[in-house]
């Protein structure tokens, strides 16, 4: 496989990639239901649950950079954010006995419900 | 622009629960006829299918940087998803009842990743302050950093092992900024490198990805918006004003034209 140099940008739960001299992205990967794997030195891959053999590989300039990308991408999904929210909400409720979302009037929102989104 | 369509379609049709689902009429792009489609909202993605049991979506609307508003048009229960930018399109949708319209407008207004991130940061901060308060000083209490592995997105693992918050600021990953509802102009983050290395310290907790805000750079209104405690209250005030206005509109429409 040939490695091509790309500018890569993580924006919300999308990973955009660009040719280095272009302003418009060539493509994007939606980072839901995916697995981020550290491969050999400086390399990580992204694969999706429904097609685990197909890996999108990225080679970084340094191992440090590679680790940073792996950490960032593992937390990039909306579902991860949702789980964090539910976790914090639960922790705060345990400590204070109050639902922290109540003051914002969003405690009944479907997307914030505990246990509703286990995958 | 290429997209991992298969993965997208899989995400749309897999059995993870949807944040909202139902039939809506969607106005065509070129012709103003409405087509009835089955809509599924998951996270910040609004998928639509030809039929409820279609195996893959016809299209998807990514709900970032948009406003959801009621339509002036005579069509009943119509609302629009409006994006900024000159080339962007406005999606006009219509529900089949008042209740359905209210439910959709509410869930779509809060569907963005940016909104979620704000809520999470706010809760994170609250929790951090509480813990600091308990420990009676700075540094806070910290549970032993056990063998916590960051979880890959979408794969099921026990959630109960998430560790306590660290006293140090979390690492920030470089990410370009998406326009958002708040309208603040933000500078793009750089790509390829994150913040400084914090490998020496215990693993950080599952914090959401952040824009780069370090050493004075990216010191824009956008950065301030993301950080301050009053911002979240302001945001909610904004939302509640919007909801109050919408509610007023709906009630007026119910009453019909004044005599």
């Amino acid at each position: 496989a040939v490695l091509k140099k790309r500018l890569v940008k993580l924006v919300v739960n999308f990973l955009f990639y660009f040719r280095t001299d272009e302003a418009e992205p060539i493509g994007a990967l939606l980072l839901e239901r995916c697995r981020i794997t550290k491969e050999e030195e400086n390399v990580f891959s992204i694969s999706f649950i429904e097609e685990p053999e197909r890996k999108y590989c990225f080679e970084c300039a340094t191992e440090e950079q590679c680790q940073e990308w792996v950490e960032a991408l593992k937390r990039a999904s909306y579902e991860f954010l949702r789980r964090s929210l539910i976790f914090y909400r639960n922790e705060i409720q345990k400590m204070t006995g109050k639902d922290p979302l109540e003051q914002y009037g969003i405690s009944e929102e479907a997307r914030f419900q505990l246990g509703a989104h286990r995958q | 622009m290429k997209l991992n369509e298969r993965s997208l379609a899989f995400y749309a049709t897999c059995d993870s629960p949807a944040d909202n689902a139902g039939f809506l009429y969607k106005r065509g792009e070129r012709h103003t006829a409405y087509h009835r489609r089955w809509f599924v909202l998951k996270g910040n993605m609004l998928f639509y299918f030809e039929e409820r049991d279609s195996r893959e979506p016809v299209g998807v609307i990514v709900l970032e940087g948009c406003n959801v508003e009621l339509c002036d048009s005579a069509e009943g229960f119509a609302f629009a998803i409006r994006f900024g930018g000159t080339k962007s399109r406005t999606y006009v949708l219509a529900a089949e009842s008042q209740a359905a319209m209210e439910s959709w407008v509410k869930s779509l207004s809060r569907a963005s990743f940016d909104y979620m991130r704000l809520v999470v940061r706010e809760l994170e901060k609250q929790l951090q302050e509480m813990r600091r308060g308990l420990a009676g000083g700075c540094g806070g209490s910290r549970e032993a950093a056990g063998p916590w592995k960051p979880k890959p997105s979408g794969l099921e693992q026990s959630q109960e092992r998430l560790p306590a918050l660290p006293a140090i600021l979390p690492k920030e990953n470089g990410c370009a900024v998406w326009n958002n509802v708040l309208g603040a102009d933000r500078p793009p983050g750089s790509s390829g490198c994150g913040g400084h290395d914090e490998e020496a310290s215990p693993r950080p907790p599952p914090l959401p990805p952040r824009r780069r805000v370090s050493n004075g750079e990216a010191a824009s209104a956008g950065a301030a918006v993301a950080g301050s405690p009053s911002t979240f209250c302001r945001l909610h005030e904004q939302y509640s004003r919007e909801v109050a206005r919408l509610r007023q509109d709906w009630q007026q429409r119910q009453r019909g034209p004044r005599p």
Side-chain angles (χ1 to χ4, degrees), chain B residues 22-251:
Chain B
F23 284 106
L24 289 171
Y25 291 89
K26 179 170 161 296
R27 198 166 76 184
E29 251 185 290
R30 271 164 288 153
H31 315 288
T32 51
Y34 280 82
H35 298 281
R36 192 171 186 248
R37 297 276 180 255
W38 177 253
F39 280 78
V40 173
L41 174 64
K42 283 193 181 184
N44 56 347
M45 316 284 288
L46 182 62
F47 297 97
Y48 51 98
F49 300 75
E50 186 136 353
E51 304 286 338
R52 181 169 183 169
D53 50 8
S54 299
R55 291 186 53 233
E56 42 176 54
V58 169
V60 62
I61 302 169
V62 180
L63 298 164
E64 299 293 333
C66 58
N67 281 312
V68 182
E69 25 186 84
L70 286 184
C71 284
D72 290 334
S73 68
E75 275 97 3
F77 318 125
F79 57 96
I81 303 174
R82 194 179 298 276
F83 290 85
T86 46
K87 290 193 264 183
S88 293
R89 181 191 159 165
T90 295
Y91 295 86
V92 179
L93 303 172
E96 290 172 322
S97 72
Q98 178 77 352
M101 179 187 67
E102 290 188 26
S103 155
W104 276 105
V105 169
K106 220 162 55 167
S107 54
L108 293 174
S109 302
R110 295 173 182 149
S112 73
F113 188 99
D114 272 341
Y115 176 83
M116 276 298 252
R117 188 156 49 186
L118 261 166
V119 179
V120 172
R121 283 185 187 171
E122 180 63 26
L123 294 190
E124 211 174 77
K125 219 164 49 70
Q126 279 185 30
L127 197 53
Q128 211 159 18
E129 281 163 9
M130 268 184 242
R131 286 182 169 160
R132 235 181 265 129
L134 280 182
C138 62
S141 63
R142 201 189 308 172
E143 285 153 42
W148 176 74
K149 291 188 196 342
K151 294 192 287 293
S153 313
L155 296 181
E156 170 67 343
Q157 288 187 38
S158 159
Q159 284 192 54
E160 286 65 48
R161 310 250 333 190
L162 294 170
L165 295 164
I168 42 172
L169 277 179
K171 196 159 27 180
E172 319 211 78
N173 62 301
C175 57
V177 180
W178 198 301
N179 293 331
N180 71 359
V181 175
L182 302 176
D185 231 57
R186 304 180 185 195
S190 60
S191 69
C193 29
H196 33 267
D197 183 64
E198 291 178 342
E199 235 78 85
S201 37
R203 289 175 187 276
L207 294 163
R210 292 172 177 238
R211 283 183 309 105
R212 175 194 290 282
V213 179
S214 57
N215 304 329
E217 75 171 1
S220 68
V225 163
S228 70
S230 58
T231 300
F232 193 65
C233 301
R234 244 185 282 135
L235 177 70
H236 269 277
E237 218 178 304
Q238 213 178 301
Y239 274 110
S240 63
R241 263 187 264 127
E242 205 176 299
V243 170
R245 186 180 55 79
L246 288 173
R247 173 155 260 132
Q248 210 175 23
D249 277 355
W250 295 329
Q251 284 168 350

Side-chain angles (χ1 to χ4, degrees), chain A residues 7-8 10-11 13 26-28 30 34 48 50 65 68-69 75 80-82 84 91 104 109 111 116 118-119, chain B residues 2 4 6-7 17 19 44 107 110 131 153 156 159 173 175-176 178 191-192 194-195 206-209 232:
Chain A
L7 182 69
V8 176
L10 175 61
V11 182
N13 50 349
I26 316 170
L30 172 67
C34 64
F48 294 90
E50 79 284 359
Q65 196 186 55
E68 284 176 352
W69 273 102
R75 302 168 194 183
F80 181 90
L81 205 54
R82 195 206 303 273
S84 305
E91 286 295 295
Y104 303 115
E109 288 261 333
R111 63 170 57 87
R118 291 193 188 266
Q119 291 174 32
Chain B
K2 270 198 294 200
N4 53 329
R6 239 182 45 215
S7 309
D19 294 320
N44 56 347
S107 54
R110 295 173 182 149
R131 286 182 169 160
S153 313
E156 170 67 343
Q159 284 192 54
N173 62 301
C175 57
W178 198 301
S191 69
L207 294 163
F232 193 65

